[in-house]
Amino acid sequence: MIESWRWYGDLDQITLDEVAQTGARGIVTALHEIPYGRVWSAEAIVERNNRVKAAGFDWVVVESLPIHEDIKRGTGDLTGLFAAYRQSMANLAAEGIKVICYNFMPLLDWTRTNLAAPVAGGATCLRFEAVHMAAFEIHMLGREAATQDYPADVVTKAAAWAQNVSEADRAALLGAVMAGMPGAFDRYDIAGLRGALTRYDGIDRTALRANYKRFLDEIIPTAEELGMRMCVHPDDPPRDILGLPRIVSNGDDLDWVLGAYDSPVNGITLCSGSLGANPANDVPAIAARVADRVHFAHLRNVRKDPDGSFEEAAHLDGDTDMVALIRVLLAEQAKRTQAGRADQQIAFRPDHGHHMLSDHARDLIAGYPLIGRLRGLAELRGVIAAVQAGA
């Protein structure tokens, strides 16, 4: 498997020289500074790729080439947006960058309610607290329908929280929910988020799937022509939030994605953390189910609570059997080697580490520390070596 590391370019305080010391061989990056829907110019791609190469790495995966909200909503004449996306793909392919990770989550990317929840020993992690998310939806956004989206005891606790917290606490919660990914995308205040949500009125699961299928119909033929592989990232969290449907949350959803445009280049980013946050998901079993279409992997772990809350665990300590999952991925690689496939090795990266030790002294991107991910990579590297040795 190809050990890789997510790097945010000029938005990242972690340098490529530091990444080199982790032992990773590949870089996962994107042009986060470019607003959604704009073409990634050949010049900008070459500049980024040259920096990656000069540091001794290969740019192995684009994460991500984002999809404009108009495409997700199916709004208006989308000809220009699809053309821009295809041109960006062509410019990437010309530089030999052939794997694109993307998501189809409406409006928000990954969502958490606490970016620095304490864990044992003084480290911190990303956490999704169901009570706080319910309070955000019901009492800050004023979305009364959200009372039906959470268990009754969570709704009761959310009301108590909303009555007893300060404006600073509310602002911190809004900041966490809006954290998403760094780069040129919209962050909202409460009024702005309410307005953005209204633009999704009438878009249910069926409509969102139809818009996603249109995206695949427009993009996958170009990927085939360019020799590229597209791999959708599962929803994070894998449940509807803010009244918006999520359609890439479990094994059945992944089956639908792969069948919506049945092509080897239409694939999956196997994110063990996103899928693992759904109690109904058996992540190693889902991985085995879609293994031949896994083009990229995010390896991380989560620990779940009965009320729907979850937090990032250490890579080998959460609810997902990481050893079993790695066995599935290595078995798939062996099959690909035997079949003579060009994509024999699966790139993976350690995802969402704990902020620990000297990470606390730096203003690092939430979920993307240096020491915490180094720990995760070392643990995953050890599991891979043991499984390959037959242990």
Side-chain angles (χ1 to χ4, degrees):
M1 297 175 72
I2 302 171
E3 296 181 4
S4 60
W5 188 273
R6 191 169 196 181
W7 180 64
Y8 290 95
D10 292 333
L11 300 173
D12 205 328
Q13 284 204 10
I14 298 171
T15 68
L16 288 174
D17 286 343
E18 289 176 304
V19 176
Q21 296 180 57
T22 71
R25 294 181 289 136
I27 289 295
V28 176
T29 191
L31 305 185
H32 299 285
E33 302 86 353
I34 298 177
Y36 291 12
R38 303 274 183 86
V39 173
W40 289 12
S41 71
E43 294 77 12
I45 293 168
V46 168
E47 189 277 334
R48 177 63 58 87
N49 201 22
N50 285 345
R51 290 174 67 185
V52 169
K53 289 178 178 177
F57 297 100
D58 294 320
W59 183 354
V60 292
V61 177
V62 175
E63 187 179 347
S64 62
L65 182 58
I67 301 169
H68 195 278
E69 290 300 310
D70 284 352
I71 292 176
K72 295 176 186 178
R73 293 193 302 262
T75 304
D77 182 1
L78 301 177
T79 304
L81 288 174
F82 284 125
Y85 202 97
R86 287 190 290 264
Q87 186 60 59
S88 296
M89 292 170 65
N91 292 344
L92 287 162
E95 273 293 287
I97 304 156
K98 297 295 186 74
V99 181
I100 296 176
C101 170
Y102 67 97
N103 75 70
F104 214 80
M105 288 180 265
L107 200 59
L108 298 182
D109 206 293
W110 60 262
T111 304
R112 299 292 186 272
T113 60
N114 190 337
L115 305 181
V119 296
T124 62
C125 71
L126 303 178
R127 180 170 175 81
F128 180 92
E129 182 69 43
V131 168
H132 294 168
M133 193 67 201
F136 180 81
E137 294 202 50
I138 299 166
H139 300 285
M140 291 175 63
L141 277 180
R143 202 176 74 79
E144 288 297 323
T147 58
Q148 305 302 312
D149 296 339
Y150 295 89
D153 62 327
V154 169
V155 173
T156 300
K157 291 175 183 177
W161 183 89
Q163 289 175 353
N164 292 291
V165 296
S166 67
E167 285 304 312
D169 292 326
R170 290 172 177 259
L173 179 55
L174 173 63
V177 171
M178 287 292 104
M181 306 307 296
F185 69 101
D186 291 326
R187 290 181 175 87
Y188 302 101
D189 59 14
I190 291 296
L193 182 56
R194 286 187 186 126
L197 287 170
T198 64
R199 294 195 284 274
Y200 273 91
D201 286 349
I203 298 178
D204 59 8
R205 179 179 177 85
T206 299
L208 190 61
R209 272 189 167 183
N211 295 339
Y212 186 15
K213 184 174 184 341
R214 180 179 177 186
F215 171 79
L216 294 174
D217 290 342
E218 294 274 358
I219 297 305
I220 296 301
T222 299
E224 292 173 330
E225 293 170 6
L226 296 170
M228 305 187 84
R229 283 166 280 149
M230 303 291 295
C231 42
V232 66
H233 187 287
D235 302 323
D236 187 8
R239 53 160 294 167
D240 294 357
I241 58 172
L242 304 177
L244 300 174
R246 294 270 173 114
I247 58 172
V248 191
S249 294
N250 55 45
D252 289 343
D253 288 343
L254 297 184
D255 287 343
W256 180 88
V257 170
L258 299 181
Y261 199 110
D262 190 7
S263 167
V265 309
N266 177 29
I268 304 296
T269 297
L270 197 286
C271 181
S272 56
S274 295
L275 292 169
N278 183 338
N281 285 341
D282 180 333
V283 180
I286 290 174
R289 183 167 160 178
V290 299
D292 67 330
R293 302 273 278 276
V294 171
H295 299 324
F296 181 37
H298 291 176
L299 299 183
R300 63 181 173 92
N301 224 322
V302 296
R303 184 177 293 108
K304 299 181 287 294
D305 296 331
D307 69 354
S309 303
F310 63 90
E311 68 182 24
E312 309 287 351
H315 284 71
L316 303 185
D317 291 345
D319 297 338
T320 293
D321 185 340
M322 193 62 69
V323 176
L325 176 58
I326 287 174
R327 287 187 190 279
V328 169
L329 296 175
L330 289 174
E332 172 60 24
Q333 284 197 160
K335 291 179 183 177
R336 295 181 185 189
T337 299
Q338 188 173 17
R341 282 175 54 168
D343 60 337
Q344 293 175 13
Q345 285 195 300
I346 298 170
F348 79 95
R349 64 175 180 83
D351 200 9
H352 291 189
H354 289 174
H355 287 243
M356 57 189 0
L357 302 173
S358 59
D359 291 328
H360 293 305
R362 304 173 70 177
D363 185 21
L364 301 176
I365 295 166
Y368 290 90
L370 177 59
I371 306 302
R373 282 188 291 166
L374 173 59
R375 173 189 173 182
L377 179 58
E379 291 176 343
L380 297 168
R381 181 183 292 143
V383 171
I384 292 168
V387 171
Q388 288 177 324

